[in-house]
Amino acid sequence: MYRKIVCLLLTLTLVASLMIGCGSNDSNTANNSNNTTEDNNGSTENNDNNENDDNGEDEDDNEGENDEDEPVDDREYPFPFYLAYADADTLAPYSNYSTIAIHTEGQVSEVLLYTKDATITNLKFYALEFVDFDENTYDAIYKKTLVGELSELTPDEPVVLQFEFGEFMATAGFSYVDAEGVEHLIGITMSGLNGEPIPGNITAQE
């Protein structure tokens, strides 16, 4: 009888130990799961922050690229006329226009000379040849050869100039008389910034 009681107590003690051990394992498993979840959440938040930081850097980079891609217009000049390449778009507003062939050989470009709200008169068109620089002003001096004339240039009827651009110096130009009766001599060159035709006052041999 005594042995039976001892065996029963030992059995109950063993069962109790096993139950306590299982409970500890379950608790550790739950804690590990919670820690994993927290780590995952933390990682997700960090990833989100990194993505936001990357997006900010990309936006800054794109802003710089957009600024560089913006076209540069250096045709802002104090003249009563404008220059643009003659194509379907620039010629579309006009039903009539004149054509002056300054050059007929080489890589000839077509440039539209037009006004918006002014009329200029006594236009003379020239082929230009660089001669020298003025010793006092260092301005280029050109020899001019007359190739055509127009009595006036109005907003309704522009003129298309056909000529070959020079590498550095003007090879074509024109003179006109403004509303105050002053004569101006203009040379046409190509912009080094955007390739557009641009005018400039020039000096010619007398």
Side-chain angles (χ1 to χ4, degrees):
M1 183 69 180
Y2 177 77
R3 289 181 179 178
K4 290 183 179 180
I5 292 172
V6 171
C7 290
L8 180 60
L9 290 174
L10 290 176
T11 301
L12 291 174
T13 301
L14 179 61
V15 171
S17 298
L18 290 175
M19 292 180 63
I20 292 171
C22 291
S24 299
N25 289 336
D26 291 340
S27 176
N28 290 335
T29 302
N31 289 335
N32 289 336
S33 298
N34 291 335
N35 291 336
T36 302
T37 302
E38 289 176 0
D39 289 341
N40 289 338
N41 291 337
S43 299
T44 301
E45 291 176 359
N46 290 336
N47 289 337
D48 290 341
N49 290 336
N50 290 336
E51 290 177 2
N52 291 335
D53 291 341
D54 292 340
N55 291 336
E57 292 176 1
D58 292 340
E59 290 175 0
D60 292 340
D61 292 339
N62 291 335
E63 288 177 3
E65 291 175 1
N66 291 337
D67 292 341
E68 291 178 359
D69 293 339
E70 289 181 0
V72 178
D73 189 354
D74 61 350
R75 293 181 294 153
E76 304 252 344
Y77 40 79
F79 299 118
F81 61 84
Y82 300 86
L83 298 175
Y85 285 112
D87 55 29
D89 291 333
T90 56
L91 292 174
Y94 307 104
S95 58
N96 294 306
Y97 60 87
S98 302
T99 301
I100 301 290
I102 297 175
H103 300 141
T104 57
E105 297 179 354
Q107 296 181 345
V108 175
S109 300
E110 291 191 336
V111 173
L112 182 67
L113 169 63
Y114 64 101
T115 65
K116 293 182 177 179
D117 53 10
T119 296
I120 56 179
T121 60
N122 298 329
L123 289 96
K124 297 179 181 180
F125 301 93
Y126 303 99
L128 299 175
E129 180 184 352
F130 170 73
V131 176
D132 202 353
F133 286 102
D134 186 286
E135 294 181 357
N136 297 320
T137 63
Y138 297 102
D139 291 333
I141 300 174
Y142 293 91
K143 175 184 176 181
K144 59 183 182 180
T145 302
L146 182 66
V147 295
E149 297 182 57
L150 281 177
S151 59
E152 63 179 11
L153 184 72
T154 67
D156 296 329
E157 189 170 345
V159 60
V160 174
L161 307 179
Q162 298 174 336
F163 64 95
E164 183 179 21
F165 281 101
E167 187 173 356
F168 299 107
M169 300 297 181
T171 58
F174 62 96
S175 63
Y176 69 95
V177 176
D178 64 21
E180 298 177 355
V182 179
E183 185 177 43
H184 302 267
L185 180 60
I186 304 296
I188 304 173
T189 56
M190 183 185 292
S191 168
L193 294 176
N194 54 23
E196 293 291 334
I198 55 175
N201 289 302
I202 62 172
T203 303
Q205 286 181 328
E206 297 295 337

